[in-house]
Amino acid sequence: MSMKNIISHWINERFEVEKIKGPLKKQLEKPLPGHVSWFHTLGSMSFFLFISQVLTGILLLVYYRPTVDEAFQSVKFITTQAYMGWLYRQIHAWGANLMIIIVFLHMLRTFVTGSFKKPREITWIIGVFLFILTLVFGFTGYLLPWNQLAYWATTVGTEIAGAIPFVGEWIKTLLRGGPNVGGETLSRFFVVHVIILPWAVFFLIAIHLFFVRWQGIATMDPVDQAKEPKPEKSIPFFPHHALKEGIVFFILLGWMITLSVLMPFELGEVANPLVTPLAIKPEWYFLPMYQVIKYFSKLAGIFVVSLAPLFLLVWPFLDKSKERHPLKRPVSMTIGVLVVFSLLFFGFLGHFSESKRRILGKEYEFDIYGKPHVVSGDGIQQEGKK
Amino acid sequence: MDPSLNEKTGETLLEKKSVSRRDFLDYIIQGGLLATFMAMLLPALSYLWPVTRRGPAGGMMDVGLLDEIPIGGSKKVVVEGSVFLLVRTDDGVKAFSAICTHLGCVVAWDAAKKQIECPCHAGVFDLDGRVVSGPPPRPLPIHLANIVDGKIYIQV
Amino acid sequence: MAQDKFKNQKFSDYSYHVIFLLGAILAIFFVVFPAFAGAQKIEGNACIACHEDIWQEAQDSVHSRNGILCQDCHGGDPTKSDPALAKSPETGFRGIPEKKQIAEICGKCHADVEFMNAYGVRTDQLERYKTSVHGKKLLIEGDHKVAVCSDCHGYHDVLPISDANSPVYPLNIPKTCNRCHGNDKLMSGYGLPTDMFEKYSKSVHGQALFEKKDFSVANCASCHGSHGAVPPGVKEISATCGKCHINEKKYFLESVHAKANEEGNFSECISCHSNHAIQKPTPALYETACVQCHDEKSDAVEQGRKISGMLYHANEKFKLTEILVKKASMEGIFVEEETASLEEAKSNVTGMAPLQHTLSIEKITDLDQQANQRFAEIEKNINQKRQNLKMRKIALIPIWIFIAVMAIVLWMKYNRLKSGK
């Protein structure tokens, strides 16, 4: 008997492998509806990025030290001394950014194909939570290198929480672990980033995936009229769809490495609470929110911004039409398109605000609302800017 | 041994062999996946291997052996991009920042005069880092130095 | 950590209290007691009864606070309330003392070792004053326009030197000297210039004193002396400057100019650096200094230019290398060794400044080469490390080839599976 047979025999004697082989095979080869496209790999890619973040995160943790005195130095150590450390830090940083994009695109795909509708409302809600947690991952992780950008972005970010009526000050202090961003903030952000969030996201993903497998991939048929996918029109998850996912996986991996090498995140200078850099802004994924808040009074701004996740959560109960096909849901699609455009619009506005740029040979200065002003030819700055 | 079980496993193995003919494509895919996996695993293992011969221990840096410096002698060491001056006295080692507080020249130990001298503008410091003479505006920063098992540790 | 902070805070609170208490006790000993003793004297002091206005001036002086009162300088008997009796000739009353007398009156106490020991004040001032130009003019020639003790220290309101209001506090010395030495009318009789204060204020020393409040810097008295005020003679200049600029003096004495100085043809430091208006020297100084004595086309000027060039290039190179290292560090390159090497190179470059006073090309070249060697090493190392960074980019090519192969193979497999159905 070969070694392989001995081992499989040994296991078979103890566990009734044959019994679960059937359901396992069924799950693996479960036919997917015919409309399943490249866009349906986004979910797996989100999952892959999560795994990648966990693995690179563990590697970074080996050398990272979450104290005010050592955080920056230890990250510097990782990027300059530890063999391949730079790559792991860059993959972790780029992975975080890509994960937000891909999770968002995955959500957009679900929205467009109407997959969130009955009976998959709970899967959608869990997905929204996963998206929010991904953003929180980004927010908490951004502080950990303890550089100037991180320190001040966190100061601004937690300041926004302070504007919430009644409980704002309390939340701000709780987030910061004190009146200012400091060592205590670093400690709690660290705990949230490496203990609480990974496990929370892990269990949410498990439930999310379980529901997806249990209820199957949504077809494009209207709600309550879903038909079993026809065998000749459907493809099995494994190996057919998995091969497609493999292709996307390799391209994504390539992109992550390429971005890490060609556009590395610079560490910059160590956090200095006494020196405020010019025009501090949060990370790009918070920019639309950050920009919108500027147009309202503090309180109204918070209210407007907090509507967004609320709408996302209750969306399956607002959009109750039976149709799934995007062309048959003009109102929902219009809203969706408007939301995406406004996110892009305010995001870019936030990006340009409080900066000076040369566009088509003319120098423009953008005020905090993102409105451009032409700077006079002799280069003298116009007064009245904070 | 249950013969039927054996028969069954044999059957499925045979089945598999006949159904999925391992062609060239599969070899590339499997080889590629293995290569990808190894390309991820090996750098990770090398990353874990310690890179510094002398690491920090309890906030102290190992800067060499006590025996390397004779009593009354000195040694310059580089730690974290800065130069430090170790002076061995009768009862241990004293560690100073070797950067003169005047204009930043690297100071040296004068064993005969038992004082630290800056070659640039004749600044002189004593064994407590205090300015004895010359232009330095501040004393030479002194760093905690400990000797454990014949090794010198300084706090940077 | 927070606990430590708390502890420190508590400790400093506590120590603050202790210091305050000690201070209070000391204050009682040194201020209240003598003042009390003085107060007893003041009670019955007849001078003060009439000269209340002068007492206002004098009461806060270091003398009044130590019980040295009117009669100790002016004579007279303060126990007699009748002015005629108090100022009678038997009492040794001398009223406003003559300038010549002042030095002697002050010296009565200030040259008395036994008396002054109690206050820890030196006693050689009078002796020194007698050797000074001021002292000689006054005591031998009887010139009453020159400075005596009171002209610098004040008279009724004399304060200790350490008091910031004292005219002889280091920060105030230049102004105090300038009261006379800036007066054209007064100085014209002696043929002395009056623009020193203006020049000094703009000089490297003056700026350090007035702007940075650096008291270790040279003021008038540092070079000219105080009580023994004499202008430094041609031969003593390096001794004067060399008090602080030790290495510069040492190296200067090795130079060819040291001999010229002996012969009286060269005036040491000031020949190149000037005196009151001394500026922070740069290599450009060679351009203007050498040609004052040497012919424009002489070898000496040529040699000066060579040294100047070396200094200039070494400084520039240092700045460039410093920027290079900083940039590399920002790029994520590990530059610990290079930073340390840069410190050593800085030492070489900074050391060239005093060494140039030897005017020896060999010696300066030696340091210059050491520095250049280090610069070259740093540059080489950083370029090497940058090259390694480039390798990362090159490595992307095989990675993408691999990815392309995998994508194509997977896609072929997918199509084969689909068509096989």
Side-chain angles (χ1 to χ4, degrees), chain A residues 1 5 9 12 59-60 62-63 77-78 81-85 88 243 249-250 253, chain B residues 1 5-6 9 13 29 32-33 36 40 43-44 46-52 56:
Chain A
M1 235 194 270
N5 282 351
H9 181 74
N12 272 323
L59 287 175
L60 293 178
V62 173
Y63 292 116
F77 176 88
I78 292 170
Q81 276 177 287
Y83 184 71
M84 290 304 239
Y88 293 120
L243 284 169
F249 159 78
F250 273 109
L253 192 68
Chain B
M1 208 200 240
L5 194 79
N6 198 12
T9 35
L13 275 172
I29 291 173
L33 287 177
T36 312
M40 286 173 175
S46 67
Y47 167 86
L48 294 176
W49 190 253
V51 275
T52 40

Side-chain angles (χ1 to χ4, degrees), chain A residues 32-48:
Chain A
L32 305 178
H35 76 284
V36 164
S37 64
W38 290 100
F39 293 112
H40 283 75
T41 60
L42 288 168
S44 306
M45 287 312 108
S46 307
F47 182 63
F48 155 65

Side-chain angles (χ1 to χ4, degrees), chain A residues 45 48-49 87 90-91 93-95 98 101-102 247-265, chain C residues 396 399-400 403-404:
Chain A
M45 287 312 108
F48 155 65
L49 280 172
L87 183 65
Q90 295 299 340
I91 296 257
W94 270 111
L98 289 175
I101 297 175
I102 291 194
I247 295 171
V248 182
F249 159 78
F250 273 109
I251 291 170
L252 189 62
L253 192 68
W255 264 114
M256 282 212 294
I257 295 169
T258 308
L259 288 169
S260 299
V261 171
L262 298 184
M263 298 173 68
F265 282 86
Chain C
L396 286 176
I399 288 174
W400 273 108
I403 288 168

Side-chain angles (χ1 to χ4, degrees), chain A residues 62-81:
Chain A
V62 173
Y63 292 116
Y64 178 73
R65 289 193 286 266
T67 64
V68 170
D69 296 329
E70 289 187 304
F72 182 82
Q73 284 307 324
S74 62
V75 175
K76 195 164 190 175
F77 176 88
I78 292 170
T79 52
T80 54
Q81 276 177 287

